[in-house]
Every structure is written in structure tokens, then in C-alpha cells.
Amino acid sequence: MGIVKISDQMHENLRVAGTALSRSINAQAEHWMRVGMLTEMHPELDHREICQLLVRAEMAGGLDIAMAVDGLPAKPRAVANGKH
């Protein structure tokens, strides 16, 4: 574990969001970092899909960057009429 320096404004944002979502400041920061990491790694996924990935990862023992890269299930492909 290490120390990460953040701005006072980001700390306040974390405090407000954490309180609203019943998370500690550290838990809120970790959540935002995990969502941000996965968003950068998989820009084709929307927020709902990122959250589903986090739930599946938690059920499998926690988020591992190798799982985040290799363990994503294939996204359904659209067919010619635009439906999945």
C-alpha cells in the first residue's frame, strides 16, 4: 500500500461521493480508479458493462489486471437488422 497525493478539490469530491454512496473516502477513490482503469483498457464498454465486469471480477476473487485484459467475455455482435 502506498500514499497517493491528490488535490484538495478531489479529496472533497471523494468525500461527497463516498458519503452519498456509503463508501469511505479510500473505497470511493479505489472504485473510481478501477472504473477509470477499465474504461481506458476497454473504451468500447459502457458504464453498465464496466460495473458488470467489476461484479463478475469480485465473484471470481477480485479484480486482477490480467483478468481485466484477458478475461472479458465477448460482447454480443449486432446482426444485420441492428438487433443483438
Side-chain angles (χ1 to χ4, degrees), residues 44-45 48-49 52 56 73-79 82-84:
E44 73 282 3
L45 299 179
R48 179 186 54 82
E49 293 166 319
Q52 289 173 345
R56 287 193 306 271
K75 194 172 178 184
R77 294 186 185 158
V79 293
K83 295 181 181 176
H84 293 224

Side-chain angles (χ1 to χ4, degrees), residues 42-60:
H42 300 286
E44 73 282 3
L45 299 179
D46 63 26
H47 185 260
R48 179 186 54 82
E49 293 166 319
I50 294 284
C51 290
Q52 289 173 345
L53 176 61
L54 287 169
V55 169
R56 287 193 306 271
E58 187 62 31
M59 291 173 62

Side-chain angles (χ1 to χ4, degrees), residues 24-46:
S24 68
I25 290 173
N26 288 346
Q28 185 64 40
E30 187 169 339
H31 173 72
W32 280 351
M33 285 187 278
R34 293 180 340 162
V35 169
M37 177 188 72
L38 291 170
T39 300
E40 286 186 349
M41 293 171 68
H42 300 286
E44 73 282 3
L45 299 179
D46 63 26

